Amino acid sequence: MVELSLADRPAIVTGASRGIGREIAARFAEAGGDVVVCSRTYEDVDAVATELTAEHDGRVVPVECDVTDRDAVRDLVDTTVEEFGTVRVLVNNAGGADESANLLHRCDEATFEWMVDLNLKSQFLLSKEVLPAMVAAGGGSMIHMGSVNGLFGIGLSGYSEAKSGLLALSRNIAAHYGQHGIRSNVVSAATIETANRRAEMENTEERTGETSARERWLDQYPLGRFGTPREVADTTLFLASELSSFVTGENLVLDGGLTTSLPTPFINDVYDADEPPTTN
């Protein structure tokens, strides 16, 4: 029986100082995996590594890394190989957006380039740098953190375009390097309720006196809630483990039904879909 385990599958998780990245690193360590965690600030990621190593079986090593810097990325991969002998899993989680650049005419060239560098170029750099070690180890799994923003028109110019490009990057990796045992997949998540994201949405009501962004966004989700960092971590662990050994080139949409239909209140008005079914 194939187990949901990362024993003997050393991993790199970028953007791991907090939120989703930290939860992925914790889930990997819990599954017995050795993990290199990185962020721009060593102190932040060092605290995460110390805490996770004390709590779980896997060994967690902190590395400071600007994932948009080619030399820093090379040092990150070299450090991982020195610490664990190889790399079998890469989680390209680092990313971000400038919320003020939500529409094209509000996004200047420098901001657009920054978001593409952080959300697409960095994942290209990491994937390219880690390939030789993965191939030499007999194969591995790459998981790239996408977004529903890359699937349909929501907003955030620069960020959305980068996340859409990530789908092509991952498919090409899967197509070209599958013969060497490399799998590559994208996780396209919708709103994940990290502490920062929750505060950001709820503060809308305080600033404007209107219904909070959280309440308005919840109407768009058939499941009636947002995702949790743990749910993203569990999905990522599945793709990193041998349980997904025949899954590659895919985009796993983790969105609580957001992209399946029109808003739930509209569906209820048209079809009375909120009427619970009964036994005839």
Side-chain angles (χ1 to χ4, degrees), residues 40-64:
R40 286 176 177 268
T41 305
Y42 180 80
E43 289 75 16
D44 291 344
V45 77
D46 182 48
V48 170
T50 299
E51 183 179 347
L52 296 185
T53 298
E55 293 177 351
H56 303 296
D57 293 336
R59 182 171 165 232
V60 183
V61 175
V63 176
E64 180 177 321

Side-chain angles (χ1 to χ4, degrees), residues 126-136 142 173 177 182:
L126 260 298
S127 300
K128 181 177 181 179
E129 194 63 39
V130 85
L131 265 173
M134 271 194 183
V135 171
M142 297 186 190
I173 292 170
Y177 302 103
I182 304 299

Side-chain angles (χ1 to χ4, degrees), residues 131 135 138-140 171-184 248:
L131 265 173
V135 171
R171 284 193 296 265
N172 277 334
I173 292 170
H176 300 158
Y177 302 103
Q179 60 190 313
H180 301 295
I182 304 299
R183 296 188 295 113
S184 179
T248 192

Side-chain angles (χ1 to χ4, degrees), residues 6 13 26 42 47 57 60 131 154 178 190 225 238 241 243 266 270 276-277:
L6 288 190
V13 180
Y42 180 80
D57 293 336
V60 183
L131 265 173
I154 299 178
R225 66 176 181 84
F238 165 72
S241 76
L243 280 181
F266 180 81
V270 173

